Amino acid sequence: MIISLLTDFGIEDGFVGSVKGVIKTINPSVDIIDISHNVGSFDILEGALVLKAAYLYFPKGTIFTVVVDPGVGSERDAIIVKTKDYFFVAPDNGVISLAVENEKIEKIIKIQNEEFFLTRDNNTFHGRDIFAPVSAYISKGVPVESFGKEKNNIIKVDIPRPEIKNGKIYGKIIKFDKFGNGITNIEDIPSFKRGEVRGIKIEKLASSFLEGEKGKLNIIKGSFGFYEIFVPLGSAKDMFKLDKEDEVVIRV
Amino acid sequence: MIISLLTDFGIEDGFVGSVKGVIKTINPSVDIIDISHNVGSFDILEGALVLKAAYLYFPKGTIFTVVVDPGVGSERDAIIVKTKDYFFVAPDNGVISLAVENEKIEKIIKIQNEEFFLTRDNNTFHGRDIFAPVSAYISKGVPVESFGKEKNNIIKVDIPRPEIKNGKIYGKIIKFDKFGNGITNIEDIPSFKRGEVRGIKIEKLASSFLEGEKGKLNIIKGSFGFYEIFVPLGSAKDMFKLDKEDEVVIRV
Amino acid sequence: MIISLLTDFGIEDGFVGSVKGVIKTINPSVDIIDISHNVGSFDILEGALVLKAAYLYFPKGTIFTVVVDPGVGSERDAIIVKTKDYFFVAPDNGVISLAVENEKIEKIIKIQNEEFFLTRDNNTFHGRDIFAPVSAYISKGVPVESFGKEKNNIIKVDIPRPEIKNGKIYGKIIKFDKFGNGITNIEDIPSFKRGEVRGIKIEKLASSFLEGEKGKLNIIKGSFGFYEIFVPLGSAKDMFKLDKEDEVVIRV
């Protein structure tokens, strides 16, 4: 059984270590696999994108513990979503919504049963005190109904959709990856005529990174499921000073 | 059995990989869990704080291998501290002292038996050549007495304590976490009247991050066991240009 | 059985999570150990250096999955190198060549059998779609011959060798480690008289970091197998504004 972790905790403070310690104390035999702990602080959309791109590659039965939690200590719900193939344990703020919308939801549980919490009086670190132990007990076979009452729906992340008018797609950059590629919010380009971002021409719709024109901006369907602005063997972000939210216009 | 690693090795150079390879060669079935490898280079105090905040969440029997080691290759001791519930393997420079002072110490061993070392002539990488194999052999059940002679005490890290005078607590920022929260050295605030750091007002003593005043400095008891200066959903460090060592004054 | 990962994928995007998910889906019982995921983007030489410094510390039988892959989607080969003690799975671009040149090569296989691929039509993420599943099947005992045809040699990384003339060694800095030490390409210094980098004197050939002169540049044989420029308890890179490619001259 795997518990897969995705958080914005960073890797320098030992927060992730505490979470893993809690899990291993409850279920020593569970396998813990990191997706990332370097989601931008409080960045629910980035967490949702990273989860959506990665979760499908995990074995059936995997428990995804996803803690990007700007509302920790407030009235936001903590939830378990059981789908046909997976479990998702997270704050109910949209961070699991992009992944879950592809899955067959079987049950949504609002986590309320404090028996399973590590402590009841900490309002700053629910990753360690609530999401970690609940995930660990699920991995031991505790039925999701034990953790609280069923609810009917979850909050969806507000992912900005591109606009299409006059033969143009107006999208934007929603994230950069480690290579400096600019992930856009554009999922479909029926036919590529030309494009631009920040007044800079996008030369080519490529099918591999090396196919792009050297030293110039190109676009490709990437592993996040969206089109990405890239420079072959370079950082589009650094070379062309691109920013998040930059508008990307594609003429189709 | 778990070996839990905390170092300042960083994650880009493969140093941690070598350490894990050594451990797995000696004990293939041990579980290795990272606390952090991004403690500031040579920063014993930060290592001690991170260890203290995380270790208690690990199962009994866990071996903590803690390598923040500015004195590598010098005459500083390498030690094993066996407590009632845990093992700590580290250079004797204070890095485990904040954790160990809460535990019931059963034995302190000065590591000297070179039979357990990977190599005897390397003076730059004791993490790989001494601390890793010793930890792995402990995980296989080798009694701590086998590694060297008993000693009586360990070096304590010099954690600066706050001063209290004229109804004011004078503390300082000793670390920032990934979110830009400024961890102070203040453990107790009997009653909060007002506070400031760098001439900037600390608005509120909050009990959850969202309770703080938006866009302003607030203070909260955090997961390191100390009060932390924070901005709700923001980075106190970046927004107010705070630095390590900045004085924090609380009127009580 | 261990699969050990070394990539330039970074840790923020979940790419490594996908790779691990694929591996665990195929072989749930394999142990996955990270060497590093923060090799500089597309930096084959750095990947080769990090692998060479770390691989020997892993148990026999370990499968090293090394993905620094500027040529992804192009005609470069994907290969398996089976040596007497290890397996290496990587693009054939030199990234495994420094490690493999120390090993007894038994077989080089060009990976071609698409049966073992996750998908056949993705040209951007071979780490996930080719190198991960192939490595996982090797860990399950699938013979390397099953993945493709034998080939005779692999591409070697172009590691710049130092020049020696007139009693001087002319080397250069090829990498910095996390501590700001400047790893040179110099493997042997028969006798050290004096040295300099950027016109700054290298004071001492030390045998431990603390032996060096404080606040000054020194040199030591380090864990990458090369001489390293360092400042005791400081960052040579930051304190003396050193750069990659800086010339290092040693008078012998």
Side-chain angles (χ1 to χ4, degrees):
Chain A
M1 184 69 87
I2 291 174
I3 292 177
S4 180
L5 301 179
L6 174 62
T7 77
D8 63 352
F9 293 172
I11 59 168
E12 56 265 52
D13 300 307
F15 299 146
V16 176
S18 305
V19 164
K20 292 182 181 176
V22 169
I23 290 170
K24 284 283 180 178
T25 301
I26 295 167
N27 187 355
S29 71
V30 76
D31 227 349
I32 304 174
I33 306 277
D34 298 311
I35 296 180
S36 169
H37 299 290
N38 286 69
V39 171
S41 301
F42 318 120
D43 191 337
I44 293 171
L45 176 57
E46 189 180 28
L49 291 169
V50 169
L51 180 65
K52 182 193 167 207
Y55 86 96
L56 253 182
Y57 296 93
F58 282 78
K60 290 186 184 185
T62 295
I63 298 155
F64 296 95
T65 308
V66 185
V67 194
V68 180
D69 194 11
V72 61
S74 72
E75 292 300 308
R76 66 101 186 90
D77 286 349
I79 53 172
I80 304 163
V81 177
K82 184 180 184 314
T83 68
K84 186 167 160 292
D85 292 330
Y86 299 112
F87 298 87
F88 298 86
V89 183
D92 186 18
N93 59 19
V95 72
I96 60 168
S97 62
L98 296 183
V100 158
E101 73 188 8
N102 296 326
E103 295 298 302
K104 196 164 168 238
I105 295 180
E106 295 188 344
K107 213 160 260 179
I108 304 169
I109 300 289
K110 178 176 170 176
I111 300 170
Q112 285 178 300
N113 188 345
E114 297 184 349
E115 271 179 56
F116 296 104
F117 298 178
L118 203 66
T119 167
R120 290 154 208 212
D121 59 4
N122 179 298
N123 273 321
T124 64
F125 199 175
H126 287 185
R128 181 191 67 198
D129 298 336
I130 297 177
F131 297 111
V134 166
S135 302
Y137 286 114
I138 294 172
S139 75
K140 290 185 77 169
V142 174
V144 295
E145 296 77 8
S146 314
F147 298 95
K149 289 208 183 103
E150 222 171 321
K151 52 181 278 185
N152 293 318
N153 37 50
I154 66 168
I155 289 174
K156 288 183 168 47
V157 75
D158 185 25
I159 184 169
R161 303 288 172 186
E163 283 182 66
I164 301 172
K165 52 185 182 197
N166 304 327
K168 290 182 186 171
I169 303 171
Y170 294 85
K172 60 179 181 176
I173 294 177
I174 54 175
K175 173 181 160 56
F176 290 97
D177 72 11
K178 186 259 190 179
F179 297 95
N181 299 333
I183 299 22
T184 74
N185 59 344
I186 302 171
E187 282 181 284
D188 288 302
I189 300 181
S191 73
F192 177 84
K193 278 193 185 139
R194 55 181 186 272
E196 62 169 49
V197 52
R198 286 211 160 199
I200 305 155
K201 192 179 170 198
I202 299 168
E203 303 288 333
K204 196 172 176 179
L205 174 64
S207 69
S208 82
F209 289 117
L210 279 189
E211 244 188 56
E213 297 213 17
K214 280 184 195 170
K216 303 199 167 168
L217 293 181
N218 300 272
I219 197 163
I220 192 170
K221 184 81 176 249
S223 59
F224 284 98
F226 294 100
Y227 282 87
E228 303 179 2
I229 307 289
F230 75 100
V231 173
L233 306 186
S235 165
K237 179 170 186 267
D238 294 345
M239 288 175 66
F240 292 94
K241 311 283 176 209
L242 302 185
D243 271 327
K244 262 170 87 166
E245 302 291 321
D246 279 352
E247 190 180 60
V248 177
V249 185
I250 306 292
R251 178 170 286 275
V252 291
Chain B
M1 185 69 87
I2 290 174
I3 292 177
S4 180
L5 301 178
L6 176 62
T7 77
D8 64 352
F9 293 172
I11 58 167
E12 55 265 52
D13 300 308
F15 299 146
V16 177
S18 304
V19 164
K20 292 182 180 175
V22 169
I23 291 170
K24 283 284 180 180
T25 300
I26 295 167
N27 188 354
S29 70
V30 76
D31 229 347
I32 304 174
I33 306 277
D34 298 311
I35 295 180
S36 170
H37 299 290
N38 286 68
V39 171
S41 301
F42 318 120
D43 192 336
I44 293 170
L45 176 57
E46 189 180 27
L49 291 169
V50 169
L51 181 65
K52 183 193 166 208
Y55 86 97
L56 254 181
Y57 296 94
F58 282 79
K60 289 186 184 183
T62 295
I63 298 156
F64 296 95
T65 307
V66 185
V67 194
V68 180
D69 193 11
V72 60
S74 73
E75 292 302 307
R76 65 101 186 90
D77 287 349
I79 53 172
I80 304 162
V81 177
K82 184 180 184 314
T83 68
K84 186 169 162 290
D85 292 331
Y86 299 112
F87 299 88
F88 298 86
V89 183
D92 186 17
N93 60 18
V95 71
I96 61 168
S97 62
L98 296 182
V100 158
E101 74 187 9
N102 295 327
E103 294 298 301
K104 197 164 168 241
I105 294 180
E106 294 188 344
K107 213 160 261 181
I108 303 170
I109 301 288
K110 177 176 169 176
I111 300 170
Q112 286 179 298
N113 190 344
E114 297 185 349
E115 271 179 55
F116 297 104
F117 298 178
L118 202 66
T119 167
R120 291 154 207 213
D121 59 4
N122 179 298
N123 273 322
T124 64
F125 198 174
H126 287 186
R128 180 192 66 197
D129 297 336
I130 297 177
F131 297 111
V134 165
S135 301
Y137 286 114
I138 295 171
S139 76
K140 289 186 77 169
V142 174
V144 295
E145 296 77 8
S146 315
F147 298 94
K149 290 209 182 103
E150 221 170 322
K151 53 182 279 185
N152 293 318
N153 37 51
I154 66 168
I155 289 174
K156 288 184 167 46
V157 75
D158 186 25
I159 182 168
R161 302 287 172 188
E163 282 182 66
I164 302 172
K165 52 185 182 196
N166 304 328
K168 289 181 187 173
I169 303 171
Y170 294 85
K172 60 179 180 175
I173 294 177
I174 55 175
K175 174 183 160 54
F176 290 98
D177 72 11
K178 186 260 190 180
F179 296 95
N181 299 334
I183 300 16
T184 74
N185 60 344
I186 302 170
E187 284 181 284
D188 289 302
I189 300 180
S191 74
F192 177 84
K193 278 194 184 137
R194 55 181 186 272
E196 61 169 49
V197 51
R198 289 211 158 198
I200 305 154
K201 193 180 170 197
I202 299 167
E203 303 287 333
K204 195 172 177 179
L205 175 63
S207 69
S208 82
F209 289 116
L210 278 188
E211 244 188 56
E213 297 214 16
K214 281 185 194 170
K216 303 202 167 166
L217 293 181
N218 301 272
I219 197 164
I220 191 169
K221 185 82 175 250
S223 58
F224 284 97
F226 294 100
Y227 282 86
E228 304 178 2
I229 308 289
F230 75 100
V231 173
L233 306 186
S235 164
K237 179 171 187 266
D238 295 343
M239 288 175 66
F240 292 94
K241 312 282 176 208
L242 301 185
D243 272 327
K244 262 171 85 166
E245 303 292 321
D246 279 351
E247 191 180 60
V248 178
V249 185
I250 306 292
R251 179 171 286 276
V252 291
Chain C
M1 185 68 87
I2 291 174
I3 292 176
S4 181
L5 301 178
L6 175 63
T7 77
D8 64 351
F9 293 171
I11 58 168
E12 56 265 52
D13 300 307
F15 299 145
V16 177
S18 304
V19 164
K20 292 181 180 175
V22 168
I23 290 170
K24 284 282 180 180
T25 301
I26 295 168
N27 187 354
S29 70
V30 76
D31 228 347
I32 303 174
I33 307 277
D34 298 312
I35 295 179
S36 170
H37 298 290
N38 287 68
V39 171
S41 300
F42 318 120
D43 192 337
I44 292 171
L45 176 57
E46 188 180 28
L49 291 169
V50 169
L51 180 65
K52 182 193 166 208
Y55 86 96
L56 253 182
Y57 296 93
F58 281 78
K60 290 185 184 184
T62 295
I63 298 155
F64 296 95
T65 308
V66 185
V67 194
V68 180
D69 194 12
V72 60
S74 73
E75 291 302 308
R76 66 101 186 89
D77 286 350
I79 53 173
I80 303 163
V81 178
K82 183 180 184 313
T83 68
K84 185 168 161 291
D85 292 332
Y86 299 112
F87 299 87
F88 298 86
V89 183
D92 186 16
N93 59 19
V95 72
I96 62 169
S97 62
L98 296 183
V100 157
E101 74 188 8
N102 295 327
E103 294 297 301
K104 197 165 167 241
I105 295 181
E106 295 188 344
K107 213 160 258 178
I108 304 169
I109 300 289
K110 177 175 170 176
I111 300 170
Q112 286 178 300
N113 190 345
E114 297 185 349
E115 272 179 53
F116 296 103
F117 298 178
L118 203 67
T119 166
R120 291 154 208 212
D121 58 4
N122 179 297
N123 273 321
T124 64
F125 198 175
H126 288 185
R128 181 193 66 198
D129 297 336
I130 296 177
F131 297 111
V134 165
S135 301
Y137 285 114
I138 294 172
S139 77
K140 290 185 78 169
V142 174
V144 294
E145 296 78 8
S146 315
F147 298 95
K149 290 210 181 99
E150 221 171 322
K151 53 181 276 185
N152 293 318
N153 37 51
I154 66 168
I155 289 174
K156 287 182 169 45
V157 76
D158 185 25
I159 183 168
R161 303 287 172 187
E163 283 182 65
I164 301 173
K165 52 185 181 195
N166 304 327
K168 289 182 185 171
I169 303 171
Y170 294 85
K172 60 180 182 175
I173 295 178
I174 54 175
K175 172 182 161 56
F176 290 97
D177 73 10
K178 187 259 190 180
F179 296 94
N181 299 333
I183 302 8
T184 74
N185 58 344
I186 302 171
E187 282 181 285
D188 288 303
I189 299 181
S191 73
F192 177 84
K193 278 194 185 136
R194 55 181 185 272
E196 62 169 50
V197 51
R198 288 211 159 199
I200 304 154
K201 194 181 168 197
I202 299 167
E203 303 287 334
K204 197 173 176 179
L205 175 63
S207 69
S208 83
F209 289 116
L210 278 189
E211 244 188 55
E213 297 213 17
K214 280 185 194 169
K216 303 202 167 167
L217 293 181
N218 301 272
I219 196 163
I220 191 169
K221 185 82 176 250
S223 59
F224 284 98
F226 295 100
Y227 282 87
E228 304 179 1
I229 308 288
F230 75 100
V231 173
L233 305 187
S235 165
K237 178 170 187 266
D238 295 345
M239 288 175 66
F240 292 94
K241 312 282 177 209
L242 302 184
D243 272 327
K244 262 171 87 166
E245 303 290 322
D246 278 352
E247 190 180 59
V248 177
V249 185
I250 306 292
R251 178 170 287 275
V252 291

